[in-house]
Structures are given as structure tokens and as C-alpha cells.
Amino acid sequence: MANIRALLVGLSRARGSLAEAGRCASIRPSLLASLGGHYKLPMPARWFSSAGLPPHLVVGMPALSPTMNQGNIAKWRKQEGDKIEVGDVICEIETDKATLEFESLEEGYLAKILAPEGSKDVQVGQPIFVTVEELGDIKSIPADASFGGEQKEEQPTESAPQPDVANVSEQSSAVSRISPAAKLLIKEHGLDMSSLRASGPRGTLLKGDVLAALKSGAVSSSAKEKKAPAAPSSQPTRDSQAQPATTSQKADTYEDIPNSQIRKVIAKRLLESKQTTPHLYLSKDVVLDPLLAFRSELKEQHGVKVSVNDIIIKAVAIALRNVPEANAYWNSEKEEAQKCDSVDISIAVATEKGLMTPIIRNADQKTISAISSEVKQLAEKARAGKLAPNEFQGGTFSISNLGMYPVDHFCAIINPPQSGILAVGRGNKVVEPVVDSDGNEKAAAVTKMTLTLSADHRVFDGQVGGKFFTELASNFSDIKRLLL
């Protein structure tokens, strides 16, 4: 056991340098690229045996991605008192990229959960749970023992006294402990503890208990009366002639929408991209009829069902292979464009938590049916929040397709350090002059689609952009080029 402790201490010290190295690597080949969906990463852990407590391990929030500096506790798979084996999934952590399963590095028993389920913005390194070696040691850890994991959430955001929150454990025999998140909700809504019931281990009142009481309306009238008089007192004198009913209605016309870690990172990266990347925009209309005919032929004659987007991915990949200057990214350290060895296409997938970009690697070397199958699998994993780091980190070029919506054309934002993203609009029937086999010009209806390239002007100049669109247009007009 001493050897295992020494190993954990060494891993804990190495965690910071590994995470920093991953951040410096941006989204180029990542330190996590070889990992799957389960994580046995070095985690901030400390062994203690002083202060009258049995030997215990304090485990902090791990850094599960290079850009992660905080995370949310999505779900606890183990509860206090449960036996933990090496490799057991202890909890699910929502990072800035996906929801990942956190595995244990050592056996023991889960003695105390410091960050309850639903905890938001837990900083990397902040203690989230405590383990002990023996089951009997759990009883030796007092319920009010502090390990540093609850201090941040307990800090009041206002200078006003909190007598009701401080003595809540004395006001109800059913509640012996209160989670930090539950305390904040009690204070915010001015709830009476007599109307709340705890469902957590050993009488712990959880955030879910308070939310359930609020939704069901099981709140005492005294709590509501305390909260009601506060509204009119904040009205300024110049609005004394306004009706109180109007003020109450205005206060209820908005709703705060909690932001996920993924959306926070998306917002930060999009802003960074627009501020630091010189965007060059190029557009071209391509005729979609050969692609649609080819898709119908695959279905009718070969029983292969693929989407228009699957064929577009293949067409873009072939164009990037034939114009290697476009399949590059800007190296900020060397301050020069660097060509990529493989053609890895990132595809935009909308999820409830935000936009994810899983990657089709070596897309130029795969068949359209293989691309179609892989796109479906990655899209399902993205919507379920189960993408592994190697499935969304990296990529050399992105495609954002809104053709399924009434969007004719749009300009997408580059995903750094990639040098380009192609925005795909919907196909529209238009009438234009065409030349028939006899050389006569006549009017004909064709389906056209607008493609808009957003490119990093440090990598793409007008010539590179023109060569890329020339190759791409050829792939659409002569669809059999995709089979070569």
C-alpha cells in the first residue's frame, strides 16, 4: 500500500505538467489522443492520517482534456460506503468537450462525497471525494469533517448575515447535513427548512431535494411571505406612479439558462478565432444534379444509402488532397503555415450542450459508404456526450452543413488552428441557359448549391483558394472522380 501511495503522489505531481503540455499543444496531436472513453489519468490526490482521522485519500477534480480548468459533476456512479475496485467508474464528469467517465486508480471505500451530483464549475484540483482503506474507517470520519472541497461553494456572495442557513440542521430532525449547492438555493429562495426532506446519505439535503420541493410547490407559506415584501421596496421614487403589477410582470419576463462547459469553451474559442484569425471569404455556386443522380444510382443499383453530406465530405477531402497547400494550419510558434500529412475532416454536429466537431480521419482514403457509417456513429456519440478525445481533437479542415434548413448561404467561423471551414447551404432549383449536345443554347432547370469558404488568410491567399474551388467544382461536375 505504501508503494501505491508513493506512486499516486508522483502521478499527482506530474498531472500539472501534463495538463500544461496538453494546453500548449492546442488541438494538434494531443496527449490524450491514444485514450478511449474511460480515463485513468493522474489526479490530484493526497494521503492523510493526522487530525485523529484514519488514513484517507483526498481526490481532486482531474484535468480530463488539455483545455479543461473546471468541470461539472454530472452523475455519481458510486455512493458513500460503496466498495471501489481498480478500474471502477466513480463518477461522470462534464468537461469542456464531453461527459467522461472517471475511473479509480486504487481500491478502497468511498468515504465522503465533497462535490455532490450537479455541482457546477468545480476547479481542477479542488477535492471532490475521499476514500479510505477499510470499511470500518468510514465511521471514524465525522460528518462535519472538512477536506477543503466545500469551502469555495460555502463562501457567501453577499455581506448580509445568513442565520437561517447557518442553523438549518437544527430546524429539522430529518436533515443532518446540507450540501453547498442546497444551501445556496435555500438562501436564494428563502425556504423554510421544515418543508424540506433530505434524500442523501445519512440525512444529507441535496440540491435535487430543494429543486423538487420548489417544483412541487411544497414550500411553507412563511417562506413565501418573507420573500414577497422585498419586491416593491426596490422601486425608485420616480416610478412611484407605476403600477406594482406591471413591475412584477417585468421581473418574470426573463429566464436564466445555465451554460454548459462545452458552450463556454465554444464561446471563448469563437471569440478568439474572430479576434486573432484574419478571415478570408470565398464563395462559389456548384451544380448539384450530378451528385444527386450519383446518390440515387448508389441506392437503386447497389443498395447503398448515403447522404448528400457524406458525398460532400468525400469531395472536399479529394480537393484537399489535390491541393496540399490548402490542407494546412498556421503554426503560431514558428509563425508559418504547416502542411498536414493526412486529410482529417471535422464535421459540425449540433447537440443539446453545444456544437461538437467529430473527425473523419483520412477521409480521402475512405469510401463514401465507410464515411457515411462513421459519420452516423460519431454523430450518435456526440449527441450522447460520449466522444473520446481522439475523436474530436485535431482535424485539418471543417465542414458545416445547414442544407437541411432554409439557409441559402452563410459564413462559418474557423476552428483554430485549422485554416479553413466550408459552409454548405441548401440546394435550389434555378433556370439558366445550357448548351445541349447539338451546340444549341436553351433554358433548363438545374439544382445549384452555394459553398462559402472561410479561410485563414495567413495560409490561404487568393491563388490557393482559387485552386481549391477549381478542384472542388470539378469533383461536383464529374462525380466519378471521387471513385479514383
Side-chain angles (χ1 to χ4, degrees):
M1 184 61 68
N3 293 335
I4 294 178
R5 293 178 189 174
L7 175 61
L8 284 172
V9 171
L11 291 174
S12 175
R13 293 174 179 173
R15 179 195 63 81
S17 59
L18 282 174
E20 184 62 27
R23 293 186 182 97
C24 294
S26 186
I27 64 168
R28 300 315 309 160
S30 170
L31 293 174
L32 301 177
S34 60
L35 295 178
H38 300 268
Y39 297 86
K40 297 180 180 179
L41 296 179
M43 54 188 177
R46 296 170 291 168
W47 275 100
F48 295 95
S49 59
S50 58
L53 300 178
H56 58 278
L57 182 66
V58 180
V59 181
M61 171 67 75
L64 299 181
S65 75
T67 57
M68 176 181 172
N69 52 30
Q70 61 185 14
N72 303 335
I73 303 297
K75 182 179 181 181
W76 281 100
R77 301 277 284 272
K78 294 288 186 179
Q79 299 300 323
E80 293 182 357
D82 288 354
K83 171 69 174 176
I84 300 175
E85 301 288 350
V86 175
D88 284 354
V89 177
I90 301 178
C91 62
E92 295 180 8
I93 298 176
E94 180 187 344
T95 72
D96 55 346
K97 299 293 185 181
T99 300
L100 308 176
E101 296 177 338
F102 182 37
E103 293 185 1
S104 174
L105 288 170
E106 187 181 0
E107 63 180 14
Y109 293 88
L110 182 56
K112 187 174 183 180
I113 294 176
L114 304 178
E117 190 169 297
S119 297
K120 304 289 186 181
D121 302 333
V122 181
Q123 296 295 322
V124 169
Q126 181 179 337
I128 58 175
F129 68 91
V130 179
T131 64
V132 294
E133 299 177 351
E134 305 294 337
L135 179 61
D137 292 341
I138 298 179
K139 299 179 180 178
S140 302
I141 297 181
D144 57 350
S146 175
F147 300 90
E150 303 164 320
Q151 296 303 316
K152 183 175 181 180
E153 292 186 271
E154 289 180 352
Q155 293 179 356
T157 56
E158 301 177 3
S159 58
Q162 305 177 45
D164 293 339
V165 178
N167 300 321
V168 286
S169 60
E170 299 178 2
Q171 297 177 9
S172 174
S173 60
V175 178
S176 60
R177 295 189 299 171
I178 305 175
S179 69
K183 286 183 179 180
L184 292 176
L185 284 175
I186 293 172
K187 177 191 172 186
E188 178 182 354
H189 295 277
L191 303 183
D192 188 349
M193 284 300 303
S194 61
S195 61
L196 301 176
R197 291 294 178 267
S199 64
R202 295 191 292 276
T204 301
L205 183 67
L206 303 178
K207 176 182 178 181
D209 300 330
V210 182
L211 293 176
L214 290 172
K215 291 181 179 180
S216 63
V219 183
S220 64
S221 58
S222 60
K224 295 179 181 178
E225 291 172 0
K226 291 179 183 178
K227 191 176 180 180
S233 62
S234 62
Q235 296 298 315
T237 305
R238 59 185 177 85
D239 292 338
S240 58
Q241 296 180 353
Q243 296 181 0
T246 304
T247 303
S248 177
Q249 291 176 359
K250 290 182 179 179
D252 297 333
T253 56
Y254 68 91
E255 177 184 0
D256 292 331
I257 302 177
N259 217 5
S260 67
Q261 291 296 323
I262 295 176
R263 290 190 183 276
K264 290 179 181 179
V265 173
I266 291 173
K268 180 179 179 181
R269 288 180 62 81
L270 291 180
L271 179 61
E272 177 186 351
S273 177
K274 292 294 289 185
Q275 289 179 334
T276 62
T277 304
H279 282 57
L280 170 68
Y281 301 103
L282 303 172
S283 296
K284 180 173 178 58
D285 292 336
V286 295
V287 178
L288 200 57
D289 295 300
L291 185 151
L292 298 176
F294 178 68
R295 177 171 177 256
S296 299
E297 182 181 345
L298 289 177
K299 181 179 179 181
E300 295 173 0
Q301 299 184 13
H302 304 282
V304 177
K305 296 181 180 179
V306 296
S307 68
V308 172
N309 194 56
D310 299 330
I311 304 176
I312 292 175
I313 293 173
K314 179 68 174 181
V316 171
I318 296 298
L320 290 172
R321 184 184 66 186
N322 294 337
V323 186
E325 307 96 310
N327 190 45
Y329 70 97
W330 182 254
N331 190 319
S332 299
E333 295 181 359
K334 297 182 179 180
E335 294 188 348
E336 63 182 17
Q338 185 169 331
K339 295 181 181 179
C340 301
D341 297 330
S342 60
V343 179
D344 303 329
I345 305 295
S346 300
I347 54 174
V349 177
T351 71
E352 292 182 355
K353 297 182 179 180
L355 195 68
M356 297 296 295
T357 53
I359 302 169
I360 308 296
R361 300 193 181 275
N362 299 307
D364 59 318
Q365 302 175 17
K366 295 179 179 178
T367 63
I368 298 175
S369 58
I371 290 175
S372 177
S373 177
E374 190 170 346
V375 167
K376 293 176 182 177
Q377 294 176 5
L378 290 174
E380 290 178 0
K381 295 177 70 174
R383 295 187 180 99
K386 300 299 183 182
L387 284 175
N390 64 301
E391 292 175 325
F392 59 80
Q393 291 178 354
T396 61
F397 194 89
S398 294
I399 297 176
S400 180
N401 191 343
L402 293 180
M404 67 289 297
Y405 300 106
V407 177
D408 294 326
H409 59 83
F410 66 102
C411 298
I413 301 176
I414 299 172
N415 181 23
Q418 295 178 8
S419 63
I421 179 171
L422 188 69
V424 181
R426 66 174 176 175
N428 291 300
K429 284 284 187 180
V430 297
V431 177
E432 64 178 25
V434 297
V435 179
D436 59 17
S437 57
D438 298 330
N440 299 321
E441 190 177 84
K442 64 178 182 180
V446 297
T447 304
K448 280 196 168 184
M449 178 175 64
T450 300
L451 304 177
T452 303
L453 172 68
S454 302
D456 186 341
H457 211 335
R458 297 171 297 183
V459 178
F460 273 80
D461 54 20
Q463 181 182 11
V464 175
K467 291 172 62 178
F468 171 75
F469 264 130
T470 299
E471 286 289 331
L472 187 57
S474 298
N475 292 340
F476 278 95
S477 60
D478 186 6
I479 205 70
K480 293 182 180 180
R481 287 164 55 97
L482 306 182
L483 305 178
L484 300 178

